[in-house]
Amino acid sequence: GLPAKAQLVVSDPTVIASDMVNLGKEIAQAKRQFNEFVDVYNKVSDLVVGFRSVKEANKALEDLSKIPDSILRNQRNSKYLSDSEKIRSFKEVDAIFSSCLDLLSEIQEIAEPTSSSNSRLTEGDRLSIIRDLCDKVVALRDKANRIAKDYDRIAMGREARANTRRMINQLNGYKSK
């Protein structure tokens, strides 16, 4: 074959300097594009979280609207709750439902940037307030569920005690009515 020949590496300092300047510009542009991407991602992420909160609040409101029916159905025919307890249970849940409707109106008002009081709010502030209000709706739904379950537990406890008394009376030879 051919004999091996060494070649000298030729380097031009001006070419190297211009390559370094171009590399610096490309890095700066890449950093700018990355920062823009991060800003867009953060905005979209906030919107997604906000929409998720609103969706959860709507589900909570839907659940809340079903609670009065279930309370009426379960507690209406219960002979182990007094009428005043049945009414109190229904009124407590109804008051919570009304509070949720008020919160929903407030959410709608804040979501509309056209209203004069909300025009000063930034989008981030508006989303934060909406998320907080949605969390309140969910908390109220949970409270209404606890109220309904508390009255159901009261009725079940009284029923269990009545059944126990009836069984003891039968064991002692008394006839139950």
Side-chain angles (χ1 to χ4, degrees):
L2 294 174
K5 295 182 182 179
Q7 289 185 342
L8 285 174
V9 175
V10 178
S11 62
D12 185 0
T14 58
V15 172
I16 293 174
S18 71
D19 286 348
M20 296 289 260
V21 169
N22 288 338
L23 182 62
K25 288 179 182 176
E26 288 175 12
I27 290 174
Q29 180 166 350
K31 183 180 178 190
R32 225 179 0 265
Q33 288 175 339
F34 177 76
N35 287 338
E36 289 172 3
F37 172 76
V38 168
D39 289 342
V40 168
Y41 174 79
N42 286 336
K43 287 180 183 177
V44 170
S45 175
D46 287 345
L47 283 173
V48 168
V49 169
F51 288 139
R52 200 174 294 139
S53 295
V54 170
K55 185 177 177 182
E56 191 175 333
N58 281 335
K59 172 88 172 82
L61 217 86
E62 183 181 317
D63 294 346
L64 257 174
S65 68
K66 294 175 185 174
I67 290 175
D69 287 341
S70 70
I71 287 174
L72 284 175
R73 199 174 317 108
N74 292 340
Q75 297 175 1
R76 178 183 52 215
N77 297 325
S78 174
K79 61 183 178 182
Y80 300 104
L81 287 176
S82 67
D83 288 342
S84 64
E85 288 172 324
K86 294 174 187 177
I87 292 169
R88 192 173 340 126
S89 169
F90 184 78
K91 282 185 176 181
E92 288 176 17
V93 172
D94 189 50
I96 289 173
F97 188 68
S98 296
S99 297
C100 284
L101 290 177
D102 293 343
L103 286 172
L104 199 62
S105 296
E106 198 173 335
I107 289 170
Q108 186 176 10
E109 183 180 315
I110 288 173
E112 296 173 1
T114 55
S115 74
S116 60
S117 62
N118 295 330
S119 60
R120 294 183 298 267
L121 292 174
T122 66
E123 222 171 284
D125 292 341
R126 190 173 291 121
L127 281 173
S128 177
I129 293 170
I130 288 172
R131 273 196 305 262
D132 291 344
L133 291 173
C134 289
D135 290 344
K136 287 180 182 178
V137 170
V138 171
L140 285 172
R141 184 241 356 237
D142 295 343
K143 181 178 179 182
N145 278 327
R146 277 193 306 275
I147 290 170
K149 287 177 183 174
D150 287 347
Y151 281 101
D152 286 342
R153 260 186 247 123
I154 290 170
M156 288 187 319
R158 290 176 182 165
E159 182 179 12
R161 283 191 297 278
N163 287 338
T164 303
R165 266 188 249 115
R166 199 174 9 261
M167 287 175 26
I168 290 172
N169 287 341
Q170 285 177 348
L171 289 173
N172 289 330
Y174 299 112
K175 293 195 178 203
S176 62
K177 297 176 185 178

